Amino acid sequence: MPIRYIDQIKDLKNKRIFIRVDFNVPQDDKGTITEDTRIAGAVPTIRYAVEQGAKIVLASHLGRPKGEKNAKYTMAPAAKRLSELLGLKVKQAPDCFGPEVSGLLDAMKPGDVVMLENVRFYPGEEKNDMAFAKQLANGCEIYVNDAFAVSHRAHASVEAITKCIPTIAAGFLMRNEMTFFDKAMRNPVRPLVAILGGAKVSGKLEVLQTLVNKVDKVVIGGGMAFTFLKALGYSVGKSLVEDELILTAKRIMDKAKKRGVSFYLPVDCVVANAFEATATNFITTVQEIPEGWMALDIGPASATLFAETLRDAKTVIWNGPMGVFEMDAFARGTFSVAEAVGNCYATTIIGGGDTDAAVRKAGVDSKVSYISTGGGAFLELLEGKILPGVKALDIKMKK
Ligand code: AMP
């Protein structure tokens, strides 16, 4: 698909440029940003536009304000953090459009940056509403999407707006994401190992259906492993299971077997008598999970086994924690795998907020090749889908 990147646009000077970023970052109770990777990720694109003398209008969503204005979800803290990272003042607009916003944009000088308010304050955003997209476009001559993490959503500021602005392009963060993904999936150096974990089997089974056709090894941990173990006939106590997906899990394992893909499941786990940080817990084999107990982490033997699978890996993709890593008692499996991923001699690509957090907490973030800013978008790419936000950037379709 032919996509233009921001540095392929000839003259940005004095042009009003709309950059869709994803500043949907975690905040504490006081509204302080606790993790700013996504903001930092968009800085190269914004800085480039500043240096080229463009007038930059930024837009993002934050949280789930459900189509209504809500001060809790203002973009102001993100604009402030961006100001610090860029080393120049980013003005926070009071709204997404309207006379006051237009006044602010009309007064911009080359190199100025204005952050619009949360686009999800309007229901038109999630409905991909063209009228709302036109209001957002507000005299912009160039549209740039640098919001990879939301590009799996056909929302107004991601999709409809590309039809309202004459020139469209992708930013540098988007280029990085797509390049690493291509490297890992389209033409991978093998063995290619996929590690999947987390709680929601439903979201990841489709991904696995595609992945088993491409990878050499699959490693499953986290809550999702127990649907597979139940499919193999194990009693898994009160561990997380999606019963309606047992048949699909079986089919995936059959497909893996037919293709000669090694399929690794946990051999032991940490079981607890409640879903609580202080619950009584012990290590057991997956064949011996007691009735009424739940497995909340992989055990040490599984951690060693999983690390062993990575020894000869040349490409590794990882999405989803191996256990309830938010609670110390059930975090060891995830951290062991994070260390193994960090230390293996392979191109390693991490996707999803939890996995990102786990890799940072384990202190191996500087050792992995690439940490994607996308969770859902990353999974949809793995599934083989074309993201609506990327499709909308196809310059062939722009007539
Ligand atoms: P997901 O959004 O599907 O990637 O799931 C991430 C969540 O899975 C994290 O918050 C973990 O606490 C949770 N998780 C991982 N392993 C387990 C498990 N064995 N049982 C319940 N939840 C789990």
Side-chain angles (χ1 to χ4, degrees):
M1 193 183 337
I3 289 181
R4 187 193 289 124
Y5 289 95
I6 185 170
D7 54 353
Q8 294 167 323
I9 298 173
K10 275 218 178 79
D11 193 9
L12 295 182
K13 192 156 177 77
N14 256 317
K15 302 259 170 69
R16 192 183 288 183
I17 177 171
F18 185 105
I19 307 182
R20 177 50 158 112
V21 288
D22 187 333
F23 289 174
N24 186 24
V25 288
Q27 290 172 304
D28 64 16
D29 300 344
K30 294 188 188 95
T32 308
I33 292 168
T34 51
E35 213 275 297
D36 66 2
T37 323
R38 286 185 176 174
I39 302 179
V43 164
T45 299
I46 301 166
R47 182 164 286 138
Y48 176 80
V50 169
E51 285 166 1
Q52 297 295 311
K55 298 170 181 172
I56 300 124
V57 182
L58 300 178
S60 176
H61 69 286
L62 176 74
R64 294 180 193 276
K66 300 195 175 128
E68 282 173 24
K69 289 185 186 167
N70 182 340
K72 189 177 158 205
Y73 299 110
T74 174
M75 294 311 306
K80 188 164 172 272
R81 177 61 59 91
L82 176 65
S83 300
E84 290 157 11
L85 294 172
L86 272 177
L88 60 88
K89 174 90 185 124
V90 174
K91 281 191 196 134
Q92 176 60 54
D95 209 331
C96 295
F97 57 88
E100 228 184 307
V101 175
S102 293
L104 200 59
L105 302 192
D106 291 343
M108 284 172 98
K109 292 189 210 51
D112 279 356
V113 186
V114 169
M115 175 98 231
L116 299 182
E117 243 324 339
N118 192 337
V119 286
R120 288 197 189 162
F121 281 179
Y122 289 89
E125 169 62 5
E126 293 185 65
K127 289 188 183 142
N128 203 20
D129 180 60
M130 192 55 84
F132 178 60
K134 277 187 188 144
Q135 284 169 311
L136 283 179
N138 203 352
C140 290
E141 298 151 273
I142 300 162
Y143 171 84
V144 170
N145 182 349
D146 211 23
F148 172 75
V150 76
S151 290
H152 59 313
R153 306 274 182 226
H155 288 173
S157 63
V158 176
E159 217 248 348
I161 195 169
T162 60
K163 299 179 180 81
C164 311
I165 299 181
T167 303
I168 54 173
F172 300 134
L173 175 64
M174 194 73 135
R175 175 149 73 191
N176 272 346
E177 297 272 6
M178 304 306 280
T179 306
F180 268 96
F181 182 81
D182 269 13
K183 195 170 168 190
M185 295 307 291
R186 266 188 245 298
N187 204 6
V189 184
R190 292 180 183 275
L192 166 60
V193 184
I195 310 171
L196 287 185
K200 283 173 248 120
V201 188
S202 34
K204 284 167 193 149
L205 279 196
E206 269 104 72
V207 179
L208 263 175
Q209 314 243 35
T210 315
L211 274 183
V212 287
N213 293 319
K214 292 189 180 163
V215 302
D216 303 295
K217 300 180 195 183
V218 176
V219 175
I220 308 276
M224 65 181 289
F226 298 92
T227 299
F228 287 90
L229 288 166
K230 193 161 178 192
L232 291 174
Y234 294 101
S235 304
V236 296
K238 275 166 74 182
S239 306
L240 210 67
V241 167
E242 291 186 44
D243 280 310
E244 65 286 4
L245 294 174
I246 286 180
L247 204 62
T248 320
K250 258 190 201 147
R251 282 202 201 109
I252 289 173
M253 287 189 282
D254 286 346
K255 201 167 167 187
K257 200 169 173 188
K258 273 193 202 118
R259 269 206 72 234
V261 173
S262 310
F263 204 91
Y264 294 89
L265 288 166
V267 290
D268 62 346
C269 52
V270 183
V271 290
N273 59 355
F275 191 87
E276 279 163 20
T278 52
T280 305
N281 67 75
F282 65 94
I283 297 162
T284 179
T285 64
V286 290
Q287 291 92 333
E288 295 170 313
I289 299 173
E291 196 60 39
W293 288 65
M294 61 187 81
L296 296 183
D297 194 11
I298 59 169
S302 311
T304 306
L305 171 71
F306 291 179
E308 198 60 33
T309 65
L310 300 178
R311 253 179 200 274
D312 64 343
K314 289 284 178 290
T315 310
V316 179
I317 43 176
W318 179 20
N319 180 287
M322 297 290 105
V324 185
F325 77 107
E326 299 91 337
M327 301 179 192
D328 286 344
F330 314 110
R332 258 180 251 167
T334 302
F335 291 150
S336 302
V337 169
E339 273 189 27
V341 170
N343 288 322
C344 72
Y345 295 94
T347 300
T348 48
I349 299 172
I350 309 297
D354 286 327
T355 322
D356 176 355
V359 163
R360 286 177 204 283
K361 243 176 142 181
V364 295
D365 47 313
S366 61
K367 290 185 174 180
V368 298
S369 313
Y370 190 69
I371 301 181
S372 173
T373 55
F378 181 80
L379 285 175
E380 289 200 13
L381 274 188
L382 286 181
E383 219 181 297
K385 288 188 179 159
I386 298 176
L387 309 181
V390 174
K391 197 169 168 203
L393 296 177
D394 185 345
I395 47 176
K396 257 198 334 221
M397 307 299 285
K398 188 95 182 152
K399 286 278 175 278

